Amino acid sequence: MTRPRVAVLEAVHNNPHADTETILGAVRTGLPEVSRQAVYDVLHALTDAQLLRRIQPSGTVARYETRVGDNHHHVVCRSCGTIADVDCAVGEAPCLAASNPRGFRIDEAEVIYWGLCPECSTAPSP
Ligand SMILES: [Zn+2]
Ligand SMILES: [Zn+2]
């Protein structure tokens, strides 16, 4: 493990669902000399190694998190873009049993819930 790798893992761990800019800023607090490209490269390498999970809800930039391997879902606020973790739906994973998988062997279903976070849903309308 190189120092940028450790720093990136720590930055993502401390900032779940952070975008690249946030991660870059967090890494530079400990490693001021690290280049943007180095952080990009490390993010890709760690994602390929499945030490990081990359999510990209439509309309947003890519986010990273260290909570990997449990195929949890995300809820995204339509208003402010806040992202939170959501555990799998209780009971059978309904959408993994696609009604017509067309011969594909399915191993993952990506679910993103959209709505308003508590702050935004209680904000007075303009
Ligand atoms: Zn919100
Ligand atoms: Zn998550």
Side-chain angles (χ1 to χ4, degrees):
M1 282 281 227
T2 59
R3 285 178 74 213
R5 278 194 152 215
V6 174
V8 166
L9 270 176
E10 269 180 18
V12 178
H13 185 75
N14 294 332
N15 303 276
H17 313 126
D19 60 18
T20 309
E21 288 305 309
T22 305
I23 295 164
L24 182 64
V27 169
R28 278 185 172 160
T29 61
L31 280 180
E33 73 282 6
V34 77
S35 72
R36 174 178 296 264
Q37 190 59 46
V39 169
Y40 274 55
D41 291 347
V42 168
L43 282 170
H44 285 134
L46 292 175
T47 304
D48 285 347
Q50 299 187 341
L51 293 168
L52 290 182
R53 180 172 168 195
R54 179 182 186 277
I55 58 165
Q56 188 165 19
S58 66
T60 79
V61 296
R63 316 291 183 119
Y64 295 88
E65 65 185 341
T66 52
R67 185 178 163 184
V68 296
D70 66 351
N71 193 40
H72 69 275
H73 308 306
H74 293 97
V75 59
V76 185
C77 177
R78 286 188 195 282
S79 177
C80 68
T82 289
I83 300 176
D85 286 339
V86 179
D87 290 326
C88 281
V90 178
E92 305 249 315
C95 292
L96 271 179
S99 58
N100 180 0
R102 298 180 182 274
F104 284 59
R105 238 180 53 215
I106 294 171
D107 58 30
E108 182 178 351
E110 187 178 274
V111 177
I112 296 180
Y113 301 98
W114 294 86
L116 287 177
C117 73
E119 279 88 74
C120 291
S121 58
T122 57
S125 31

